[in-house]
Each structure stands twice: as structure tokens, then as C-alpha cells.
Coordinates of all heavy atoms in Angstrom, one line a residue:
M36 N -7.8 -10.5 2.2 CA -8.6 -9.4 1.7 C -9.5 -9.9 0.6 O -9.1 -10.7 -0.2 CB -7.7 -8.2 1.2 CG -8.4 -7.0 1.0 SD -7.4 -5.6 0.4 CE -5.8 -5.9 1.2
E37 N -10.7 -9.5 0.6 CA -11.7 -9.9 -0.4 C -11.3 -9.4 -1.8 O -10.8 -8.3 -1.9 CB -13.1 -9.4 -0.1 CG -13.6 -10.0 1.2 CD -15.0 -9.4 1.6 OE1 -15.6 -8.8 0.7 OE2 -15.3 -9.4 2.8
S38 N -11.6 -10.2 -2.8 CA -11.4 -9.7 -4.2 C -12.2 -8.5 -4.5 O -13.4 -8.5 -4.2 CB -11.7 -10.9 -5.1 OG -11.4 -10.5 -6.5
G39 N -11.6 -7.6 -5.2 CA -12.4 -6.4 -5.6 C -12.6 -5.4 -4.5 O -13.4 -4.4 -4.7
R40 N -12.1 -5.6 -3.4 CA -12.3 -4.7 -2.2 C -11.2 -3.6 -2.2 O -10.0 -3.9 -2.4 CB -12.3 -5.5 -0.9 CG -12.6 -4.6 0.3 CD -12.8 -5.5 1.5 NE -12.9 -4.6 2.6 CZ -12.6 -4.9 3.8 NH1 -12.2 -6.1 4.1 NH2 -12.7 -4.1 4.8
E41 N -11.6 -2.4 -1.8 CA -10.6 -1.3 -1.6 C -10.8 -0.8 -0.2 O -11.9 -0.5 0.2 CB -10.8 -0.2 -2.6 CG -9.9 0.9 -2.5 CD -10.0 2.0 -3.6 OE1 -10.2 1.6 -4.7 OE2 -9.9 3.1 -3.3
I42 N -9.7 -0.7 0.5 CA -9.8 -0.1 1.9 C -8.9 1.1 1.9 O -7.9 1.2 1.2 CB -9.4 -1.1 3.0 CG1 -8.0 -1.7 2.7 CG2 -10.4 -2.2 3.1 CD1 -7.5 -2.7 3.7
E43 N -9.3 2.1 2.7 CA -8.5 3.3 2.7 C -8.5 3.8 4.2 O -9.5 3.6 4.9 CB -9.2 4.3 1.8 CG -8.5 5.6 1.6 CD -9.1 6.5 0.6 OE1 -9.5 6.0 -0.4 OE2 -9.1 7.7 0.8
K44 N -7.5 4.5 4.6 CA -7.4 5.1 5.9 C -6.8 6.5 5.8 O -5.8 6.7 5.1 CB -6.5 4.2 6.8 CG -6.3 4.7 8.2 CD -5.5 3.8 9.1 CE -5.3 4.4 10.4 NZ -4.4 3.6 11.3
D45 N -7.4 7.4 6.5 CA -6.9 8.8 6.5 C -5.9 8.9 7.6 O -6.0 8.3 8.7 CB -8.0 9.8 6.7 CG -9.0 9.9 5.5 OD1 -8.5 9.7 4.4 OD2 -10.2 10.1 5.7
Y46 N -4.8 9.7 7.3 CA -3.8 10.0 8.3 C -3.6 11.4 8.5 O -3.8 12.2 7.5 CB -2.4 9.4 7.8 CG -2.3 7.9 7.8 CD1 -2.8 7.2 6.7 CD2 -1.8 7.2 8.8 CE1 -2.7 5.8 6.6 CE2 -1.7 5.8 8.8 CZ -2.1 5.1 7.7 OH -2.0 3.8 7.7
S47 N -3.2 11.9 9.7 CA -2.8 13.2 9.9 C -1.5 13.4 9.1 O -0.8 12.4 8.7 CB -2.5 13.5 11.3 OG -1.4 12.8 11.8
L48 N -1.0 14.6 8.8 CA 0.2 14.8 8.1 C 1.4 14.2 8.8 O 2.2 13.5 8.2 CB 0.5 16.3 7.8 CG 1.7 16.6 7.0 CD1 1.6 15.9 5.6 CD2 1.8 18.1 6.8
A49 N 1.4 14.3 10.1 CA 2.5 13.7 10.9 C 2.5 12.2 10.8 O 3.6 11.6 10.7 CB 2.5 14.2 12.4
E50 N 1.4 11.6 10.9 CA 1.3 10.1 10.8 C 1.7 9.7 9.4 O 2.4 8.6 9.2 CB -0.2 9.6 11.1 CG -0.6 9.8 12.5 CD -2.1 9.6 12.7 OE1 -2.9 9.9 11.8 OE2 -2.4 9.1 13.7
F51 N 1.3 10.4 8.4 CA 1.6 10.1 7.0 C 3.1 10.1 6.8 O 3.7 9.2 6.2 CB 0.9 11.0 6.0 CG 1.1 10.8 4.6 CD1 0.6 9.7 3.9 CD2 2.0 11.7 3.9 CE1 0.8 9.5 2.6 CE2 2.2 11.4 2.5 CZ 1.6 10.4 1.9
V52 N 3.7 11.2 7.3 CA 5.2 11.3 7.2 C 5.9 10.2 7.9 O 6.8 9.6 7.3 CB 5.7 12.7 7.7 CG1 7.2 12.7 7.9 CG2 5.2 13.8 6.9
A53 N 5.4 9.8 9.0 CA 6.0 8.6 9.8 C 5.9 7.3 9.0 O 6.8 6.5 8.9 CB 5.3 8.5 11.1
E54 N 4.7 7.1 8.3 CA 4.5 5.9 7.5 C 5.4 5.9 6.3 O 6.0 4.9 5.9 CB 3.1 5.7 7.1 CG 2.2 5.2 8.3 CD 2.6 3.9 8.8 OE1 3.0 3.0 8.1 OE2 2.5 3.7 10.1
L55 N 5.5 7.1 5.6 CA 6.4 7.2 4.5 C 7.9 6.9 4.9 O 8.6 6.2 4.2 CB 6.4 8.6 3.9 CG 5.2 8.9 2.9 CD1 5.2 10.3 2.5 CD2 5.2 7.9 1.7
R56 N 8.3 7.4 6.0 CA 9.7 7.2 6.5 C 9.9 5.7 6.8 O 10.9 5.2 6.5 CB 9.9 8.1 7.8 CG 11.3 8.0 8.3 CD 11.6 9.1 9.3 NE 11.7 10.4 8.6 CZ 10.8 11.4 8.9 NH1 9.9 11.3 9.8 NH2 10.9 12.6 8.3
R57 N 8.9 5.1 7.5 CA 9.0 3.7 7.8 C 9.1 2.8 6.5 O 9.8 1.9 6.4 CB 7.8 3.3 8.7 CG 7.9 1.9 9.3 CD 6.8 1.6 10.3 NE 5.5 1.5 9.6 CZ 5.0 0.4 9.1 NH1 5.8 -0.7 9.0 NH2 3.8 0.4 8.5
L58 N 8.2 3.2 5.5 CA 8.2 2.5 4.2 C 9.6 2.6 3.6 O 10.2 1.6 3.2 CB 7.2 3.1 3.3 CG 7.2 2.6 1.9 CD1 6.9 1.1 1.8 CD2 6.2 3.4 1.0
A59 N 10.1 3.9 3.5 CA 11.4 4.1 2.9 C 12.5 3.3 3.6 O 13.4 2.7 2.9 CB 11.7 5.6 2.8
D60 N 12.6 3.4 4.9 CA 13.6 2.7 5.7 C 13.5 1.2 5.5 O 14.5 0.5 5.3 CB 13.5 3.0 7.2 CG 13.8 4.5 7.5 OD1 14.5 5.2 6.6 OD2 13.5 4.9 8.6
T61 N 12.3 0.7 5.5 CA 12.1 -0.8 5.3 C 12.6 -1.2 3.9 O 13.3 -2.2 3.8 CB 10.6 -1.2 5.5 OG1 10.3 -0.8 6.9 CG2 10.4 -2.7 5.4
L62 N 12.1 -0.5 2.9 CA 12.5 -0.9 1.5 C 14.0 -0.7 1.3 O 14.6 -1.6 0.6 CB 11.7 -0.1 0.5 CG 10.2 -0.3 0.5 CD1 9.5 0.6 -0.5 CD2 9.9 -1.8 0.2
E63 N 14.6 0.3 1.8 CA 16.0 0.6 1.7 C 16.9 -0.5 2.3 O 17.9 -0.9 1.8 CB 16.4 1.9 2.3 CG 17.8 2.4 2.0 CD 18.0 3.8 2.4 OE1 17.8 4.1 3.6 OE2 18.4 4.6 1.6
S64 N 16.4 -1.1 3.4 CA 17.1 -2.1 4.1 C 16.7 -3.5 3.6 O 17.0 -4.5 4.2 CB 16.9 -2.1 5.6 OG 15.6 -2.4 5.9
N65 N 16.0 -3.6 2.4 CA 15.5 -4.8 1.8 C 14.6 -5.6 2.8 O 14.5 -6.8 2.7 CB 16.7 -5.7 1.4 CG 17.4 -5.0 0.3 OD1 16.9 -4.5 -0.7 ND2 18.8 -5.1 0.3
G66 N 13.9 -4.9 3.7 CA 13.0 -5.6 4.6 C 11.6 -5.7 3.9 O 11.4 -5.3 2.8
R67 N 10.7 -6.4 4.6 CA 9.3 -6.6 4.2 C 8.4 -5.6 4.9 O 8.3 -5.6 6.1 CB 8.9 -8.0 4.5 CG 9.7 -9.1 3.8 CD 9.6 -9.0 2.2 NE 8.3 -9.0 1.7 CZ 7.5 -10.0 1.4 NH1 8.0 -11.3 1.6 NH2 6.3 -9.9 0.9
F68 N 7.8 -4.7 4.1 CA 6.9 -3.7 4.7 C 5.5 -4.3 4.9 O 4.9 -4.9 4.0 CB 6.8 -2.5 3.7 CG 6.0 -1.4 4.3 CD1 6.5 -0.5 5.2 CD2 4.7 -1.2 3.8 CE1 5.8 0.5 5.7 CE2 3.9 -0.1 4.3 CZ 4.5 0.7 5.3
T69 N 5.0 -4.0 6.1 CA 3.6 -4.4 6.4 C 2.9 -3.1 7.0 O 3.6 -2.3 7.6 CB 3.5 -5.5 7.5 OG1 4.1 -5.1 8.7 CG2 4.1 -6.8 6.9
I70 N 1.6 -3.0 6.7 CA 0.9 -1.9 7.3 C -0.5 -2.4 7.6 O -1.1 -3.3 6.9 CB 0.8 -0.8 6.2 CG1 0.1 0.5 6.9 CG2 0.1 -1.2 4.9 CD1 0.3 1.7 6.1
K71 N -1.1 -1.9 8.7 CA -2.4 -2.3 9.1 C -3.4 -1.2 8.6 O -3.3 -0.1 8.9 CB -2.5 -2.5 10.6 CG -3.8 -3.2 11.0 CD -3.7 -3.6 12.5 CE -4.8 -4.5 12.8 NZ -4.7 -5.0 14.2
I72 N -4.4 -1.6 7.8 CA -5.4 -0.7 7.3 C -6.8 -1.3 7.6 O -7.0 -2.4 7.1 CB -5.2 -0.5 5.7 CG1 -3.8 0.0 5.4 CG2 -6.3 0.5 5.2 CD1 -3.5 0.0 3.9
D73 N -7.6 -0.5 8.3 CA -9.0 -1.0 8.5 C -9.0 -2.4 9.1 O -9.7 -3.3 8.7 CB -9.8 -0.9 7.3 CG -11.3 -1.1 7.6 OD1 -11.7 -0.8 8.7 OD2 -12.0 -1.7 6.7
E74 N -8.1 -2.6 10.1 CA -8.0 -3.9 10.9 C -7.5 -5.1 10.0 O -7.5 -6.2 10.4 CB -9.3 -4.3 11.5 CG -9.9 -3.3 12.4 CD -9.0 -3.0 13.6 OE1 -8.4 -3.9 14.2 OE2 -8.8 -1.8 13.9
E75 N -7.0 -4.8 8.8 CA -6.3 -5.8 8.0 C -4.9 -5.5 7.8 O -4.5 -4.4 7.5 CB -7.0 -5.9 6.6 CG -8.4 -6.4 6.7 CD -8.9 -6.7 5.3 OE1 -8.2 -7.3 4.5 OE2 -10.1 -6.4 5.0
E76 N -4.0 -6.5 8.0 CA -2.6 -6.3 7.9 C -2.2 -6.7 6.4 O -2.6 -7.7 5.9 CB -1.8 -7.2 8.8 CG -0.4 -6.9 8.8 CD 0.4 -7.5 10.0 OE1 0.2 -7.0 11.1 OE2 1.1 -8.4 9.8
V77 N -1.5 -5.8 5.8 CA -1.1 -5.9 4.4 C 0.4 -6.1 4.3 O 1.1 -5.3 4.9 CB -1.5 -4.7 3.5 CG1 -1.1 -4.8 2.1 CG2 -3.0 -4.4 3.6
L78 N 0.8 -7.1 3.7 CA 2.3 -7.4 3.5 C 2.6 -7.1 2.1 O 2.0 -7.7 1.1 CB 2.6 -8.9 3.8 CG 4.0 -9.4 3.5 CD1 5.0 -8.7 4.4 CD2 4.0 -10.9 3.7
V79 N 3.5 -6.2 1.9 CA 4.0 -5.8 0.5 C 4.9 -6.9 0.0 O 5.9 -7.2 0.6 CB 4.6 -4.4 0.5 CG1 5.1 -4.1 -0.9 CG2 3.6 -3.4 1.0
S80 N 4.7 -7.4 -1.2 CA 5.5 -8.3 -1.9 C 6.9 -7.7 -2.2 O 7.0 -6.6 -2.5 CB 4.9 -8.8 -3.2 OG 5.8 -9.6 -3.9
E81 N 7.9 -8.6 -2.1 CA 9.3 -8.2 -2.6 C 9.3 -7.8 -4.0 O 10.2 -7.1 -4.5 CB 10.3 -9.3 -2.3 CG 10.5 -9.5 -0.8 CD 11.4 -10.7 -0.5 OE1 11.5 -11.6 -1.4 OE2 11.9 -10.7 0.6
E82 N 8.3 -8.3 -4.8 CA 8.3 -8.1 -6.2 C 7.4 -6.8 -6.6 O 7.1 -6.6 -7.8 CB 7.7 -9.3 -6.9 CG 8.5 -10.6 -6.7 CD 9.9 -10.5 -7.1 OE1 10.2 -9.9 -8.2 OE2 10.8 -11.0 -6.4
A83 N 7.0 -6.1 -5.6 CA 6.2 -4.9 -5.8 C 6.9 -3.9 -6.7 O 8.1 -3.7 -6.7 CB 5.8 -4.3 -4.5
T84 N 6.1 -3.2 -7.5 CA 6.6 -2.1 -8.4 C 6.0 -0.8 -7.8 O 4.9 -0.8 -7.3 CB 6.2 -2.3 -9.8 OG1 4.8 -2.3 -10.0 CG2 6.8 -3.5 -10.4
A85 N 6.8 0.3 -7.9 CA 6.3 1.5 -7.4 C 5.9 2.5 -8.5 O 6.5 2.5 -9.6 CB 7.5 2.2 -6.6
S86 N 4.9 3.3 -8.2 CA 4.5 4.3 -9.2 C 4.0 5.5 -8.4 O 3.6 5.4 -7.2 CB 3.4 3.8 -10.1 OG 2.3 3.5 -9.4
I87 N 4.0 6.7 -9.0 CA 3.5 7.9 -8.5 C 2.5 8.4 -9.5 O 2.8 8.6 -10.7 CB 4.6 8.9 -8.2 CG1 5.6 8.4 -7.2 CG2 4.0 10.2 -7.7 CD1 6.8 9.3 -7.0
A88 N 1.3 8.7 -9.1 CA 0.3 9.2 -10.0 C -0.2 10.6 -9.6 O -0.3 10.9 -8.4 CB -0.9 8.2 -10.0
F89 N -0.6 11.4 -10.5 CA -1.2 12.7 -10.3 C -2.4 12.8 -11.2 O -2.3 12.5 -12.4 CB -0.2 13.8 -10.6 CG -0.8 15.2 -10.5 CD1 -1.1 15.7 -9.2 CD2 -1.0 16.0 -11.6 CE1 -1.7 17.0 -9.1 CE2 -1.6 17.2 -11.5 CZ -1.9 17.7 -10.3
E90 N -3.5 13.3 -10.6 CA -4.7 13.5 -11.4 C -5.5 14.7 -10.9 O -5.4 15.0 -9.7 CB -5.5 12.2 -11.5 CG -6.3 11.9 -10.3 CD -7.2 10.7 -10.5 OE1 -6.7 9.6 -10.7 OE2 -8.5 10.9 -10.5
I91 N -6.2 15.3 -11.8 CA -7.1 16.3 -11.4 C -8.5 15.9 -12.0 O -8.6 15.6 -13.2 CB -6.7 17.7 -12.0 CG1 -5.4 18.1 -11.5 CG2 -7.8 18.7 -11.7 CD1 -4.9 19.4 -12.1
E92 N -9.5 15.8 -11.1 CA -10.8 15.4 -11.5 C -11.8 16.2 -10.7 O -11.7 16.3 -9.5 CB -11.0 13.9 -11.2 CG -12.3 13.3 -11.7 CD -12.3 11.8 -11.5 OE1 -11.5 11.1 -12.1 OE2 -13.2 11.4 -10.7
E93 N -12.7 16.8 -11.5 CA -13.8 17.6 -10.9 C -13.2 18.7 -10.0 O -13.7 18.9 -8.9 CB -14.8 16.7 -10.2 CG -15.5 15.7 -11.1 CD -16.5 14.8 -10.3 OE1 -16.8 15.1 -9.2 OE2 -16.9 13.9 -11.0
G94 N -12.1 19.3 -10.4 CA -11.5 20.4 -9.6 C -10.7 20.0 -8.4 O -10.3 20.8 -7.7
R95 N -10.5 18.7 -8.2 CA -9.8 18.2 -7.0 C -8.5 17.5 -7.5 O -8.6 16.6 -8.4 CB -10.6 17.3 -6.2 CG -9.9 16.8 -5.0 CD -10.9 16.2 -4.0 NE -10.2 15.6 -2.8 CZ -9.9 16.3 -1.8 NH1 -10.2 17.6 -1.7 NH2 -9.3 15.8 -0.8
A96 N -7.3 17.9 -7.0 CA -6.1 17.3 -7.4 C -5.7 16.2 -6.4 O -6.0 16.3 -5.2 CB -4.9 18.4 -7.4
E97 N -5.1 15.2 -6.9 CA -4.7 14.0 -6.1 C -3.3 13.5 -6.5 O -3.0 13.4 -7.7 CB -5.7 12.9 -6.3 CG -5.4 11.7 -5.5 CD -6.4 10.6 -5.6 OE1 -7.6 10.8 -5.2 OE2 -6.1 9.5 -6.2
L98 N -2.4 13.3 -5.5 CA -1.1 12.8 -5.7 C -1.0 11.5 -5.0 O -1.3 11.5 -3.8 CB 0.0 13.7 -5.2 CG 1.5 13.3 -5.4 CD1 1.8 13.2 -6.8 CD2 2.4 14.2 -4.6
E99 N -0.7 10.4 -5.6 CA -0.8 9.1 -5.0 C 0.5 8.3 -5.2 O 1.0 8.2 -6.3 CB -1.9 8.3 -5.7 CG -2.2 7.0 -5.0 CD -3.5 6.3 -5.6 OE1 -4.6 6.7 -5.2 OE2 -3.3 5.4 -6.4
F100 N 1.1 7.9 -4.1 CA 2.3 7.0 -4.1 C 1.7 5.6 -4.0 O 1.0 5.3 -3.0 CB 3.2 7.3 -2.9 CG 3.8 8.7 -3.0 CD1 3.1 9.8 -2.8 CD2 5.1 8.8 -3.4 CE1 3.6 11.1 -2.8 CE2 5.7 10.1 -3.5 CZ 4.9 11.2 -3.2
Q101 N 2.1 4.7 -4.9 CA 1.5 3.4 -4.9 C 2.5 2.3 -5.1 O 3.4 2.4 -5.9 CB 0.5 3.4 -6.1 CG -0.4 2.2 -6.2 CD -1.5 2.4 -7.2 OE1 -2.3 3.3 -7.0 NE2 -1.5 1.6 -8.2
L102 N 2.2 1.2 -4.4 CA 3.0 -0.1 -4.6 C 2.0 -1.1 -5.2 O 0.9 -1.3 -4.6 CB 3.6 -0.6 -3.3 CG 4.6 0.3 -2.7 CD1 5.0 -0.2 -1.3 CD2 5.9 0.4 -3.5
S103 N 2.3 -1.8 -6.2 CA 1.5 -2.8 -6.8 C 2.2 -4.1 -7.0 O 3.4 -4.2 -7.3 CB 1.0 -2.4 -8.2 OG 0.3 -1.1 -8.1
W104 N 1.4 -5.3 -6.8 CA 2.0 -6.6 -7.0 C 0.9 -7.6 -7.3 O -0.3 -7.3 -7.0 CB 2.8 -7.0 -5.8 CG 2.1 -7.1 -4.5 CD1 1.5 -8.3 -4.0 CD2 1.7 -6.1 -3.6 NE1 0.9 -8.0 -2.8 CE2 1.0 -6.7 -2.5 CE3 2.0 -4.7 -3.5 CZ2 0.5 -6.0 -1.5 CZ3 1.5 -4.0 -2.4 CH2 0.7 -4.6 -1.4
E105 N 1.3 -8.7 -7.8 CA 0.3 -9.8 -8.1 C 0.1 -10.5 -6.7 O 1.1 -10.7 -6.0 CB 0.9 -10.8 -9.1 CG 1.0 -10.2 -10.5 CD -0.3 -9.8 -11.1 OE1 -1.3 -10.5 -10.9 OE2 -0.3 -8.8 -11.8
A106 N -1.1 -10.9 -6.4 CA -1.5 -11.5 -5.2 C -0.7 -12.7 -4.9 O -0.2 -13.0 -3.8 CB -3.0 -11.8 -5.1
D107 N -0.4 -13.6 -5.9 CA 0.3 -14.8 -5.6 C 1.7 -14.6 -5.2 O 2.4 -15.4 -4.6 CB 0.2 -15.8 -6.8 CG 0.7 -15.1 -8.1 OD1 1.0 -13.9 -8.2 OD2 0.9 -15.9 -9.1
E108 N 2.3 -13.4 -5.5 CA 3.7 -13.1 -5.1 C 3.7 -12.9 -3.6 O 4.7 -13.2 -3.0 CB 4.2 -11.8 -5.8 CG 4.4 -12.0 -7.3 CD 4.7 -10.7 -8.0 OE1 4.6 -9.6 -7.4 OE2 4.9 -10.8 -9.2
A109 N 2.7 -12.4 -3.0 CA 2.6 -12.2 -1.5 C 2.1 -13.4 -0.8 O 2.4 -13.6 0.4 CB 1.8 -10.9 -1.2
E110 N 1.3 -14.2 -1.4 CA 0.7 -15.4 -0.8 C 1.7 -16.4 -0.3 O 1.5 -17.1 0.7 CB -0.3 -16.1 -1.7 CG -1.5 -15.3 -1.9 CD -2.5 -15.9 -2.9 OE1 -2.0 -16.9 -3.6 OE2 -3.6 -15.5 -3.0
D111 N 2.9 -16.4 -0.9 CA 4.0 -17.3 -0.4 C 4.4 -16.9 1.0 O 4.9 -17.7 1.7 CB 5.2 -17.3 -1.4 CG 4.8 -17.9 -2.7 OD1 3.9 -18.6 -2.8 OD2 5.5 -17.5 -3.7
D112 N 4.2 -15.6 1.3 CA 4.7 -15.1 2.6 C 3.6 -14.7 3.6 O 3.9 -14.5 4.7 CB 5.5 -13.8 2.3 CG 6.7 -14.1 1.4 OD1 7.4 -15.1 1.7 OD2 7.0 -13.3 0.5
A113 N 2.4 -14.7 3.1 CA 1.3 -14.3 4.0 C 0.0 -15.0 3.7 O -0.2 -15.3 2.5 CB 1.1 -12.8 3.9
E114 N -0.8 -15.3 4.7 CA -2.1 -15.9 4.5 C -3.1 -14.8 4.4 O -3.0 -13.7 4.8 CB -2.4 -16.8 5.7 CG -1.5 -17.9 5.9 CD -1.9 -18.8 7.1 OE1 -2.9 -18.6 7.6 OE2 -1.0 -19.6 7.4
G115 N -4.3 -15.2 3.7 CA -5.4 -14.3 3.7 C -5.4 -13.3 2.5 O -6.3 -12.5 2.4
V116 N -4.4 -13.4 1.6 CA -4.4 -12.4 0.5 C -4.9 -13.2 -0.7 O -4.4 -14.2 -1.1 CB -2.9 -11.9 0.2 CG1 -2.9 -11.0 -1.0 CG2 -2.4 -11.3 1.5
S117 N -6.1 -12.7 -1.3 CA -6.7 -13.5 -2.3 C -7.0 -12.7 -3.6 O -7.6 -13.2 -4.5 CB -7.9 -14.2 -1.8 OG -8.9 -13.2 -1.4
E118 N -6.7 -11.4 -3.6 CA -7.0 -10.6 -4.8 C -6.0 -10.9 -5.9 O -4.9 -11.4 -5.7 CB -6.8 -9.1 -4.5 CG -7.9 -8.5 -3.7 CD -7.7 -7.0 -3.6 OE1 -7.9 -6.3 -4.6 OE2 -7.4 -6.5 -2.5
D119 N -6.5 -10.6 -7.1 CA -5.6 -10.8 -8.3 C -4.4 -9.9 -8.2 O -3.3 -10.2 -8.6 CB -6.4 -10.7 -9.6 CG -7.3 -11.8 -9.8 OD1 -7.1 -12.9 -9.3 OD2 -8.3 -11.5 -10.5
E120 N -4.7 -8.7 -7.8 CA -3.6 -7.6 -7.7 C -3.9 -6.8 -6.4 O -5.0 -6.5 -6.2 CB -3.6 -6.7 -8.9 CG -2.4 -5.8 -8.8 CD -2.3 -4.9 -10.1 OE1 -3.2 -4.2 -10.4 OE2 -1.2 -5.1 -10.7
N121 N -2.8 -6.6 -5.7 CA -3.0 -5.8 -4.5 C -2.3 -4.4 -4.7 O -1.3 -4.3 -5.4 CB -2.3 -6.5 -3.3 CG -3.0 -7.7 -2.9 OD1 -4.1 -7.7 -2.5 ND2 -2.3 -8.9 -3.1
E122 N -2.8 -3.4 -4.0 CA -2.2 -2.1 -4.1 C -2.1 -1.5 -2.7 O -3.1 -1.6 -1.9 CB -3.0 -1.2 -5.0 CG -3.0 -1.6 -6.4 CD -3.8 -0.7 -7.3 OE1 -4.6 0.1 -6.8 OE2 -3.8 -0.9 -8.5
A123 N -1.0 -1.1 -2.3 CA -0.8 -0.4 -1.0 C -0.4 1.1 -1.3 O 0.7 1.3 -1.7 CB 0.3 -1.0 -0.2
A124 N -1.4 1.9 -1.2 CA -1.1 3.3 -1.5 C -0.7 4.0 -0.2 O -1.4 3.9 0.8 CB -2.4 4.0 -2.1
V125 N 0.3 4.8 -0.2 CA 0.8 5.6 0.9 C 0.7 7.0 0.6 O 0.9 7.4 -0.5 CB 2.2 5.2 1.3 CG1 2.7 6.0 2.4 CG2 2.3 3.7 1.6

């Protein structure tokens, strides 16, 4: 993924729930989570940290579940990751 690039994909509620369930099951079993977004496959580092953010801006509320990690932590396991920091928001 290019440095400084942000990709986003909209999901139906049912698809979102399925991805959250798959994420939880994968992390709970100490597996490696991957997700394809905009034709790019993202591999979440084992060193990822989780956060949940809530914000209200211009009258619109947003709740974001986020995994963050340093790019070099995932490069050992996957090719093509070149950002300083990656984020996989679910």
C-alpha cells in the first residue's frame, strides 16, 4: 500500500457483523487476520494495538474500531506493505 494512502470500503450491516465476528474469532485463536479492501489484501500484525474511537463532527457521530501497527512489524510476514503506520478499521 502506498505511503499516506487511505482506503475504505462500505459494508452492509450483515457483512460488517460477519467481518467483526471473523476478526474476533481470528484474534481469539491467536491467528493472523487478513482483509481485502479495494483489491488490496491487508495483513494485521501480531503486534497490533486495538482502540475504539467516538467523535461528533459537523453534527455527524462516528464510532470506529481500529487496529494500528508499525509497517515494519507486518513486513516480516507480508510483501507490499510500505507505510510507516497501518490501520485496519472495522
